[in-house]
Amino acid sequence: MTAATTPGAATRLDPQPGEVIDRTDRFAFTWNGVEHHAYRGDTITSALAAAGVRVFSRSFKYSRPRGILTASYLDPGCTVQVDDEPNVRGSHRRIAPGQAVTAQNVWPSLDRDVKMANQAVGRFLTAGFYYKTFIKPQRLWPTYQRVLQRFAAGGTAPDTAPDRLRYDKRYAHPDVLVAGGGPAGMKAAVAAAKHGAKVLLVEEEHELGGHLRYGDTGDLDRLALLRAEVAASDVEVLTDAVVAGRYDGNLFAVVERSAPGLTERLTKVRAGVAIVAAGLIERPYVVEGNDLPGVLLSTAVRRLINLHAVKPGNRAVVLTANPQGDAAIADLQRAGVQVWAEDARAGGDIVRILGRGGVVGVEVGDGRKVPCDLVVTATGWTATTSLLNMAGDRPVYEPRIARFLPSQLPDDVLVTGGLAGDDDLDELLDHARAAGELAAERATEPGSVRGAALPVRPIVDACLPALPLHDHPAMFRGPTHGFVDFSEDVGSKDLAAAVAEGYDSSELAKRYTTATMGPSQGKLETVNAVAAVAEATGITIGQAGTTTWRPPYAPITLGALAGRNFEPVRVSPMQPWHEVHGAAPLVAGAWIRPDHYGDPAAEVRAVRDEVGIIDVTPIGKLDLQGPDVPNLLELLYVNKWQKLDVGRVRYGVMCAEDGVVLDDGVTGRLGPDHYLMSTTSSGAAGIWEWIENWLQTERPGWDVHVTPVTTAYASMNLAGPRSRDVLAPLTDVDLSADAFGYMHVRTGTIAAVEDCVLWRIGFTGELSYELHVPAGYGLHVWETLLAAGADHGIRAFGVEAQRTLRLEKGHLIVGQDTDGLTKAGSAGLGGLVKLDKPNFVGKPELVWQQEVGVTSTLVALQPVDPTEVPPEASQIVVAGRTVGRITSSRRSPTLGRGVCLGQVPPDLAAPGTHVTVRLPDGRDIVAVVQQHLAHVDPEGARLRG
Amino acid sequence: MITLSCPWCGPRNVTEFAYGGESGARPDPATATPQPWRRYLYTNANPAGPVTETWLHRAGCRRYLVVERDTTTNEILAIRRPGGAPSTSARHATTGRATEQRP
Amino acid sequence: MAGAGRGHGNGATNGRSPRYSAWDLARRGLTGEAWPPAWRKHELRPSYDVVIIGGGVHGLATAHYLAANHGITDVAVLDKGYIGGGGSGRNTAILRSNYLTPEGIAFYDRSLELYRGLAADLNFNVMFSQRGHMTLAHNDASLRTMRWRAEVNKLVGVDSEVIDPDEVAKLVPRMDVSSEARYPILGALWHPPGGIIRHDAVVWGYARGADSRGVQIHQNTEVLGIDVVAGRVTGVQTSRGAVSAPIVVNCTAGWSSLISDMAGVEMPVHTFPLQAAVTEPVQPFLDPVVVSGTLHVYVSQTDRGELVFGASVDPFASYSTRGSLEFIEGLAGHVLQLMPSLHNLRLLRQWAGLCDMTPDYSPIMGPTPVEGFYVDVGWGTYGFKAGPVSGEQMAACIATGATPELIAPFALSRFAAGELVGEKGAAAVGH
């Protein structure tokens, strides 16, 4: 017989007073391809349990059949695939019409799983068995590994991206956040709101109420009153949402699982004060057979009966140690289930649970075997201390109640409800009210500021009365060994074995057995695991201590964490023109710019022969004003700046304090106290901060005002022998060589646009004008220049052509021809570095570099074979060892041959030296070190024309 | 996420700020020898506890700030303008304790 | 005990851990006989020849190789918590050797070689999975750096090559290689020898290996001070009493500058948290390790089906390992930029470790100005990869008194000399 479905084993009961299903709304869905029906309000497993389904998964290691255990989000054996969504918590997720639900990780089917053979060999698969085998021969390990991967738990990730927005984020800034919408949380929230606080109340289940929801009619009456109080208050309520983490500064991650139209929404909550009222989780009992389908917690049967009107079995054995178990007995009896009660408080116990595919009986404490199809345990509680732990709490084990209690918290976190202690509902609600009022007081205190990292204090100082504690027997393991971690298939015997092997602390045993590492995140398992380790090592649970709870408390989808992608893209005002004219996009940090317009070599030739124009808007631009600008330039550049006349432009290089080249660019003097500095595109943001850092922290007395104007101007470079002819008719600036020479700056009007800045500089090596025009007119000026240049053969060129042009000219690119260790002395700067200046940033290291001699230097290289173009990063080798590298290379359209820049050691730097270059395809070629860095026009005649 | 109380802008998320590292005294570059200079470049006190460091309010006022912070708890002990006396303190609390270290 | 010593003849003598084998696993499965401890507990002795501070992979490997390669067995490994509780248990267990400089490559390649033989060497399956390591390039600058690494790697004999987006898509079918991506993938550095390993198993394997050769492992033993007399180390003060030793080795991570301070040795180290996270398991779909420097993320899938994510270190220095929400938000965003179909995978757990960053992204290894005080620190985000070779070379350094060639570039003295290691040349490539 297969146990996957036992028709008649469970059936739908008559309407229950607290049921959450809507019997007027019945719909179909499929489970492993078979159609079933559900009522609105059913969870996946409640609907299937009502149809007699008992097995929902196969276990990770031994492939044992697993059914409902907790009937909550934590249910370890009820994780299923829903359509393309893996790992759905079947005992929490409400089923929707038409959904296809399938069992995960079962091959070929849930009923017949070939891995079930593992059950037979389970005795050999003890904790950590894989560390002790598959060692030799090593060549077989990859094969073993493929077999092990077959056991990977979990569903199947989708292979396509969502076609619409399915995730979102929002922020919330409540005065008081209440985690947990049980009676204590509801009361605390209402009290805080009445005290004038803005309150957010978050409940993981689908409705407020906690355990009252599946309680008796008295509980339901109390619940109705509490719900009415919440409804009448200003409290914002989120249900089917969970406080998933507490972070520094009282920041909380709240995951909403049923936000309208979305799969998940992440709400980031900066709370004034948080009240943790997360309540208690019922702890499974460790005993042989405790994972069989048909073994349920008392809260699980109460949920099934009272919320979903599902009869969980016909004959039950109930082990009860507390009133919740007693209530489960009453519920079962009311539902027509025969009950055999074992009262732990009177010495009752369960020795082992019998059955293979499901429960068939129980051996009880006195040795009798009681036939049954349902086993219910009510043996104690686990305090959900995760959020408190994340806030700095170190929970302390209290043997009297057999659970952990909080011990220390910062002032912006309070705790109430079952986490704080036991008592009758009225007293619990009084405590919660006091907590709510205190939280409101602290959060709304004038002058209180959120987001501080507050120190923790002993909880006795928290100004809340301590709740009494009700004795509870310490029941962790029965007379036999059973499972501790259901999702990882780890038993108490495994933990004992791990301890015996030396893994004798909670952390080591946990890591060795993987107990608590699975999808239920240890919430169900940790305390039983600690108890097993404590038992094996002969210490108390208190001494063994709990493990560190790490966020998140509940899993969060990557989609919700990511939210929408708000990564900005920057484009120049000329981008519409580029797009129309077929520009190939180049992603350069935040910028998208034209790489080329189809034929970069032709673009190069246009610049050399006629005229070209390039959009250089991303170049960093800083407007510097004030009498101390020359001092600033003198401090930050390696060359001299005191004697820069108005109307002049100079090239400069900046170094960091370790002498490494940081950035380069030109700076022009527009007026007596007015300069425009340019930086590399990628350095724009950093150099602005670099300058401000020196001004604000080191030279606060200097009078310099820095304004970033990178995007205030649209920048374009008009380059080529006919650039003057194109520009002259469009500007009021006299462009004649005498009036506006090389390395000069002018301001004026271009294409009727005023306040433009014109630099006569030449990165490309040609006569060229760099034009900075107010950004709003960028496209106009660009198009006007192109129109005016049409007769001169003008052509737009992109970054690729510019790189080729500058390489032909031997101009370095910081970060390409230099690297993170290249000091100025190795950058081919020649006499630019003025070590005779009294002081500049980086000078000490550069002086010492000159004293000991450089280890590498930048040179121009040309392959002997003109057809060779060694790819950038090709290595320069001597006797098979790398001594340098090609930093830049292109085929030069101008020279019709390969041209390069490279870093070489000093003994290979002399002009005429032959070096060996190892190409990526493994060939070696010879290249010759050139006299000048410039391959084209080393004298600069074209620039100065 | 902690907040830093910017003396110019008030309390803001730490993600608005850029960390600049420990504030160390620079030897006089005119007279420095390699040993102390490289100690200045490369060595940090790196304490587990209070440390004085430089931050930039990058997504705010763009001012550089001197921050005293406990590196074990990330508690902000004081924030001030460079070179000036403490102008604000982050030892604020939601409990209504008097804020300390005000100028 | 029947069969306990069968096979290799070094059975449960002196309480040492017996040889692991499938045969013995089966026998014990049938007889129910328990495995003895993999390492033993000891009283702390008043003196040792060598005291190693830090029971992570570096400390335990150093102890193991001191005993195995040099016969130095009077060694104590002290850890303030449990073994492998620091960086060794918090890293993302990625192995590779495709560094930038010949020195770096040779060093990490030796580590990979030791890792390949480690299971057999230690008789402990460390589950090294050589599934390949892929570093994506999203712009031409990083493509150039990948080429640079590939070319130097090839010269040193390490298998690394630059591949194009089509090959990337073939190796990782869920990867978005479209040119519409915000940061389009232009290529990748493909390093077939790289992979992942079970990090805890490496720690335990070395602990068991060291223990079986007589090394004493002392957990929950915190070092409170280091005794230095006239410029040489004489011992340590611990939470369990004083221990004298002529040689003390600092093999800590996260606390290395604080430990070195105890000996009066200043370290160019700055401690930053490094966060990581793991998802729920899904069926295997991702074979190689995938790294994107531009997006600050690395991803691998374990044999268990979980995706393990890492990133760059936190934006500011701290000794706090609490982790942050903004980290997992950014991480998820970057993962989905690479593989948009993973939107409904759930993040299960996040954690943080401490990384001792140095100015040149390279460790600090060897002797210090205090005689007898050695360091193996400054391991940044790459310490786990180097565990075996560091142990081997540090052991040789200690045993012979001479610094081996493989670790000579990483001497503490390089900072004062201004001779930083060239890995900084391609800064922030990472993992």
Side-chain angles (χ1 to χ4, degrees):
Chain A
M1 177 194 96
T2 98
T5 307
T6 312
T11 53
R12 196 73 80 172
L13 298 165
D14 292 337
Q16 302 294 307
E19 71 181 24
V20 297
I21 51 173
D22 177 359
R23 296 189 188 236
T24 66
D25 189 354
R26 187 166 176 272
F27 54 82
F29 68 101
T30 63
W31 164 241
N32 293 327
V34 177
E35 187 170 281
H36 290 274
H37 288 84
Y39 293 125
R40 189 161 300 281
D42 259 324
T43 64
I44 292 166
T45 59
S46 75
L48 291 170
V53 175
R54 250 187 147 185
V55 177
F56 295 95
S57 69
R58 290 280 178 175
S59 74
F60 167 56
K61 200 158 84 178
Y62 305 123
S63 201
R64 291 170 64 91
R66 294 279 164 80
I68 297 175
L69 175 69
T70 72
S72 70
Y73 191 89
L74 298 178
D75 224 339
C78 296
T79 300
V80 295
Q81 178 105 17
V82 177
D83 299 324
D84 76 346
E85 184 179 358
N87 302 331
V88 173
R89 280 13 184 222
S91 290
H92 173 84
R93 177 70 64 85
R94 288 188 165 168
I95 185 74
Q99 284 181 326
V101 184
T102 49
Q104 297 185 160
N105 190 34
V106 284
W107 185 81
S109 77
L110 192 60
D111 294 349
R112 294 169 199 284
D113 186 327
V114 289
K115 287 177 292 185
M116 205 158 84
N118 272 6
Q119 283 191 59
V121 298
R123 63 199 311 177
F124 308 114
L125 306 184
T126 50
F129 76 94
Y130 29 78
Y131 299 127
K132 300 193 182 85
T133 185
F134 308 137
I135 295 171
K136 277 189 172 174
Q138 273 178 268
R139 68 191 153 74
L140 285 184
W141 165 238
T143 312
Y144 296 141
Q145 199 188 359
R146 297 289 165 202
V147 175
L148 283 182
Q149 283 178 349
R150 279 248 140 165
F151 287 86
T156 305
D159 49 19
T160 51
D163 52 4
R164 63 177 177 87
L165 183 72
R166 281 166 66 168
Y167 305 90
D168 212 348
K169 289 185 197 180
R170 65 167 186 147
Y171 294 86
H173 298 85
D175 297 317
V176 177
L177 168 70
V178 182
M186 295 163 84
K187 194 63 170 184
V190 169
K194 278 188 183 158
H195 231 70
K198 190 180 155 204
V199 182
L200 180 63
L201 171 62
V202 180
E203 167 55 38
E204 181 165 20
E205 304 270 356
H206 298 272
E207 307 92 13
L208 292 177
H211 68 272
L212 293 181
R213 290 180 312 135
Y214 46 83
D216 58 23
T217 48
D219 290 335
L220 291 173
D221 291 345
R222 297 298 298 268
L223 176 55
L225 290 174
L226 282 165
R227 282 181 176 165
E229 279 190 61
V230 173
S233 73
D234 291 330
V235 172
E236 182 187 355
V237 178
L238 297 177
T239 55
D240 196 14
V242 61
V243 181
R246 191 270 186 186
Y247 298 91
D248 279 352
N250 237 23
L251 182 73
F252 293 83
V254 174
V255 182
E256 297 174 62
R257 296 176 179 138
S258 49
L262 297 172
T263 302
E264 256 182 25
R265 179 162 67 180
L266 176 67
T267 299
K268 298 195 271 182
V269 179
R270 178 78 80 180
V273 176
I275 301 174
V276 179
L280 304 174
I281 292 171
E282 192 167 23
R283 197 170 59 225
Y285 192 48
V286 180
V287 72
E288 187 178 322
N290 67 339
D291 70 322
L292 287 168
V295 180
L296 278 75
L297 301 179
S298 72
T299 45
V301 297
R302 299 201 74 197
R303 285 163 184 267
L304 284 174
I305 294 170
N306 296 316
L307 296 177
H308 297 107
V310 171
K311 186 180 176 187
N314 294 308
R315 293 164 62 101
V317 172
V318 182
L319 175 63
T320 173
N322 55 44
Q324 192 67 213
D326 303 341
I329 292 172
D331 286 343
L332 286 164
Q333 286 170 336
R334 194 166 44 77
V337 180
Q338 286 180 38
V339 176
W340 173 291
E342 284 287 319
D343 192 330
R345 293 156 297 193
D349 203 351
I350 286 177
V351 176
R352 58 174 56 86
I353 300 167
L354 310 169
R356 279 181 61 85
V359 170
V360 298
V362 169
E363 183 184 329
V364 293
D366 59 9
R368 273 185 290 180
K369 289 187 177 154
V370 183
C372 64
D373 60 359
L374 175 64
V375 175
V376 180
T377 63
T379 54
W381 306 96
T382 292
T384 53
T385 54
S386 302
L387 290 174
L388 302 174
N389 197 229
M390 293 170 204
D393 185 26
R394 300 235 172 95
V396 172
Y397 183 71
E398 175 50 60
R400 267 183 63 200
I401 55 172
R403 66 174 199 260
F404 284 85
L405 281 175
S407 73
Q408 54 175 37
L409 285 170
D411 282 347
D412 51 9
V413 177
L414 297 172
V415 57
T416 188
L419 278 174
D422 307 301
D423 218 335
D424 298 332
L425 188 57
D426 287 322
E427 283 72 27
L428 215 56
L429 293 179
D430 283 345
H431 187 271
R433 182 188 298 116
E437 288 169 359
L438 180 60
E441 237 165 67
R442 287 184 181 173
T444 57
E445 182 90 20
S448 73
V449 182
R450 286 177 199 169
L454 298 181
V456 293
R457 295 198 289 163
I459 203 159
V460 290
D461 299 343
C463 313
L464 282 175
L467 277 169
L469 305 176
H470 293 173
D471 289 353
H472 194 291
M475 299 182 68
F476 297 95
R477 183 166 79 82
T480 50
H481 281 292
F483 279 94
V484 168
D485 189 320
F486 299 86
S487 30
E488 295 288 308
D489 263 1
V490 177
S492 49
K493 203 174 177 176
D494 294 311
L495 285 158
V499 167
E501 285 190 54
Y503 305 89
D504 57 357
S505 63
S506 294
E507 289 291 346
L508 281 176
K510 187 178 97 178
R511 286 165 175 273
Y512 189 60
T513 62
T514 72
T516 76
M517 311 282 271
S520 39
Q521 300 167 294
K523 291 194 276 285
L524 214 51
E525 307 89 353
T526 293
V527 176
N528 278 338
V530 170
V533 169
E535 183 190 342
T537 47
I539 60 174
T540 65
I541 294 176
Q543 289 166 325
T546 185
T547 57
T548 306
W549 294 93
R550 304 183 198 282
Y553 168 74
I556 314 176
T557 58
L558 298 181
L561 285 169
R564 306 181 198 200
N565 186 348
F566 285 123
E567 210 151 349
V569 170
R570 305 178 92 175
V571 293
S572 89
M574 287 83 93
Q575 182 67 14
W577 190 94
H578 303 321
E579 286 174 11
V580 169
H581 291 82
L586 174 75
V587 178
W591 290 91
I592 308 282
R593 21 183 345 194
D595 193 26
H596 57 80
Y597 301 86
D599 188 350
E603 292 167 19
V604 169
R605 284 190 295 271
V607 173
R608 289 276 181 251
D609 298 342
E610 318 279 350
V611 59
I613 184 167
I614 180 172
D615 180 351
V616 292
T617 301
I619 280 182
K621 296 173 281 286
L622 296 167
D623 182 275
L624 308 175
Q625 302 202 36
D628 288 310
V629 175
N631 292 327
L632 178 76
L633 301 176
E634 197 73 18
L635 176 69
L636 297 186
Y637 281 124
V638 298
N639 48 336
K640 295 188 179 175
W641 289 83
Q642 292 290 8
K643 288 181 186 157
L644 187 73
D645 294 331
V646 173
R648 295 298 301 259
V649 170
R650 188 168 289 167
Y651 172 74
V653 168
M654 294 185 194
C655 288
E657 288 202 87
D658 58 2
V660 171
V661 176
L662 196 62
D663 205 77
D664 69 348
V666 299
T667 292
R669 189 170 183 186
L670 306 180
D673 289 339
H674 188 191
Y675 294 72
L676 183 65
M677 170 186 280
S678 72
T679 72
T680 62
S681 308
S682 55
I687 296 301
W688 179 25
E689 290 180 3
W690 179 240
I691 290 173
E692 284 289 356
N693 195 351
W694 281 97
L695 289 174
Q696 289 182 33
T697 69
E698 301 290 340
R699 303 290 191 274
W702 282 2
D703 186 357
V704 178
H705 295 263
V706 185
T707 310
V709 293
T710 300
T711 51
Y713 286 113
S715 302
M716 54 203 89
N717 193 300
L718 188 68
R722 308 185 74 164
S723 53
R724 182 183 284 127
D725 303 336
V726 175
L727 183 58
L730 297 173
T731 179
D732 59 356
V733 176
D734 180 356
L735 296 188
S736 64
D738 294 341
F740 186 9
Y742 180 57
M743 296 305 271
H744 281 69
V745 58
R746 295 288 180 269
T747 52
T749 299
I750 303 172
V753 177
E754 294 170 359
D755 299 323
C756 298
V757 180
L758 297 78
W759 284 350
R760 203 185 138 188
I761 55 175
F763 192 46
T764 59
E766 294 299 322
L767 168 68
S768 69
Y769 300 90
E770 194 144 302
L771 315 173
H772 305 288
V773 309
Y777 297 100
L779 183 57
H780 159 75
V781 172
W782 175 267
E783 289 179 331
T784 306
L785 286 166
L786 277 161
D791 294 341
H792 300 280
I794 195 168
R795 191 164 184 149
F797 65 105
V799 174
E800 173 60 25
Q802 185 194 38
R803 284 181 186 165
T804 305
L805 288 158
R806 70 89 203 177
L807 174 58
E808 288 179 342
K809 181 62 188 166
H811 285 146
L812 72 99
I813 294 180
V814 173
Q816 174 169 344
D817 300 301
T818 68
D819 64 50
L821 282 176
T822 308
K823 292 178 183 166
S826 295
L829 300 174
L832 186 80
V833 186
K834 301 296 183 196
L835 293 180
D836 58 335
K837 279 206 311 187
N839 180 31
F840 64 89
V841 176
K843 182 184 170 188
E845 287 288 354
L846 296 180
V847 169
W848 300 324
Q849 184 192 23
Q850 194 194 40
E851 284 169 11
V852 301
V854 300
T855 54
S856 179
T857 191
L858 188 71
V859 297
L861 295 147
Q862 289 186 0
V864 170
D865 178 346
T867 66
E868 293 284 2
V869 183
E872 290 170 353
S874 292
Q875 297 297 300
I876 294 166
V877 295
V878 170
R881 289 181 62 93
T882 177
V883 296
R885 72 181 193 284
I886 301 295
T887 57
S888 296
S889 66
R890 284 292 185 277
R891 183 179 182 282
S892 160
T894 310
L895 301 176
R897 61 155 19 265
V899 294
C900 313
L901 288 175
Q903 285 283 348
V904 297
D907 58 322
L908 296 180
T913 307
H914 283 55
V915 301
T916 304
V917 181
R918 173 71 50 88
L919 302 181
D921 63 12
R923 286 183 301 130
D924 283 346
I925 62 166
V926 176
V928 184
V929 176
Q930 304 296 298
Q931 178 79 38
H932 303 283
L933 285 174
H935 298 271
V936 171
D937 187 27
E939 298 76 25
R942 301 173 73 97
L943 280 172
R944 295 184 166 80
Chain B
M1 188 195 298
I2 55 168
T3 57
L4 272 67
S5 250
C6 173
W8 307 92
C9 311
R12 299 294 186 90
N13 285 344
V14 69
T15 45
E16 289 191 9
F17 298 82
Y19 173 66
E22 282 179 27
S23 313
R26 179 186 292 103
D28 179 359
T31 56
T33 54
Q35 198 100 358
W37 183 258
R38 287 168 183 158
R39 184 169 175 265
Y40 156 71
L41 284 182
Y42 301 129
T43 304
N44 297 290
N46 201 34
V51 64
T52 303
E53 49 199 21
T54 303
W55 290 69
L56 164 67
H57 194 184
R58 179 180 278 162
C61 59
R62 307 281 303 182
R63 304 309 291 175
Y64 280 83
L65 308 169
V66 177
V67 175
E68 283 174 35
R69 182 174 61 98
D70 187 316
T71 59
T72 58
T73 61
N74 290 333
E75 187 181 1
I76 306 298
L77 307 171
I79 300 182
R80 59 178 182 270
R81 306 168 193 180
S87 60
T88 189
S89 162
R91 273 201 73 91
H92 44 239
T94 47
T95 52
R97 282 194 302 239
T99 49
E100 300 142 46
Q101 299 179 356
R102 284 200 182 272
Chain C
M1 266 173 251
R6 190 83 73 88
H8 295 270
N10 58 347
T13 53
N14 302 328
R16 282 172 196 177
S17 179
R19 193 156 183 89
Y20 293 155
S21 67
W23 188 88
D24 204 15
L25 197 68
R27 186 186 62 79
R28 287 171 195 264
L30 289 170
T31 62
E33 185 189 326
W35 294 92
W39 51 82
R40 295 158 289 178
K41 280 184 191 296
H42 307 273
E43 290 301 312
L44 190 64
R45 287 210 300 266
S47 86
Y48 293 90
D49 287 348
V50 179
V51 164
I52 294 171
I53 307 171
V57 58
H58 282 252
L60 291 166
T62 301
H64 171 80
Y65 291 115
L66 273 173
N69 295 357
H70 305 282
I72 298 174
T73 59
D74 187 23
V75 178
V77 178
L78 312 182
D79 197 289
K80 70 173 177 176
Y82 59 95
I83 57 169
S88 298
R90 294 163 191 260
N91 69 86
T92 47
I94 296 171
L95 304 183
R96 67 176 176 93
S97 65
N98 59 348
Y99 280 71
L100 179 68
T101 59
E103 301 79 18
I105 298 162
F107 179 78
Y108 287 98
D109 198 44
R110 173 64 185 155
S111 210
L112 214 49
E113 188 182 343
L114 288 168
Y115 265 127
R116 275 193 290 267
L118 205 57
D121 215 35
L122 297 176
N123 176 235
F124 200 103
N125 190 352
V126 293
M127 295 190 259
F128 182 15
S129 174
Q130 271 191 304
R131 42 180 64 196
H133 183 283
M134 179 191 290
T135 313
L136 300 168
H138 300 269
N139 55 55
D140 64 328
S142 67
L143 196 59
R144 196 179 305 115
T145 303
M146 297 311 138
R147 172 85 60 204
W148 182 2
R149 279 167 63 184
E151 291 313 305
V152 181
N153 275 253
K154 283 191 267 182
L155 283 172
V156 184
V158 167
D159 188 359
S160 276
E161 58 179 325
V162 173
I163 59 173
D164 64 28
D166 288 345
E167 292 168 280
V168 170
K170 247 177 256 165
L171 287 161
V172 185
R174 276 179 168 79
M175 189 83 74
D176 178 7
V177 296
S178 69
S179 55
E180 283 73 44
R182 174 64 184 84
Y183 296 103
I185 291 167
L186 304 185
L189 181 65
W190 175 234
H191 177 50
I196 55 175
I197 199 165
R198 179 85 176 102
H199 54 8
D200 290 330
V202 176
V203 171
W204 301 332
Y206 274 123
R208 178 166 162 269
D211 173 273
S212 73
R213 287 169 175 81
V215 169
Q216 293 195 351
I217 297 166
H218 295 283
Q219 302 184 72
N220 300 307
T221 307
E222 184 173 1
V223 170
L224 305 170
I226 296 174
D227 303 324
V228 177
V229 177
R232 68 160 300 134
V233 78
T234 58
V236 297
Q237 303 292 325
T238 82
S239 56
R240 289 167 66 199
V243 175
S244 72
I247 290 173
V248 174
V249 191
N250 177 2
C251 286
T252 59
W255 310 91
S256 71
S257 65
L258 302 175
I259 295 287
S260 288
D261 282 349
M262 292 177 184
V265 176
E266 270 189 354
M267 284 285 147
V269 155
H270 211 181
T271 302
F272 285 74
L274 177 67
Q275 300 191 55
V278 64
T279 66
E280 295 178 349
V282 287
Q283 294 303 305
F285 69 90
L286 176 66
D287 205 37
V289 178
V290 175
V291 179
S292 165
T294 300
L295 292 174
H296 307 292
V297 65
Y298 42 100
V299 189
S300 68
Q301 187 172 25
T302 67
D303 290 340
R304 293 156 49 84
E306 305 146 321
L307 292 187
V308 179
F309 301 136
S312 39
V313 295
D314 275 9
F316 56 94
S318 179
Y319 286 90
S320 163
T321 54
R322 280 190 300 277
S324 66
L325 179 59
E326 55 270 28
F327 165 75
I328 51 174
E329 291 181 88
L331 184 73
H334 291 145
V335 169
L336 293 186
Q337 284 192 38
L338 293 178
M339 292 181 267
S341 66
L342 304 186
H343 60 97
N344 59 17
L345 263 62
R346 290 179 182 81
L347 194 120
L348 197 58
R349 190 165 55 247
Q350 68 179 113
W351 67 93
L354 296 179
C355 293
D356 291 335
M357 306 305 292
T358 61
D360 58 0
Y361 305 91
S362 297
I364 304 167
M365 300 178 77
T368 67
V370 172
E371 203 182 329
F373 181 63
Y374 291 80
V375 293
D376 170 25
V377 302
W379 278 106
T381 61
Y382 22 82
F384 187 78
K385 297 167 185 65
V389 68
S390 302
E392 181 190 59
Q393 300 298 313
M394 285 302 295
C397 185
I398 292 159
T400 64
T403 302
E405 195 184 335
L406 267 186
I407 64 170
F410 307 130
L412 174 61
S413 56
R414 72 180 183 273
F415 297 100
E419 291 164 356
L420 270 56
V421 176
E423 293 297 336
K424 188 169 188 265
V429 174
H431 313 281

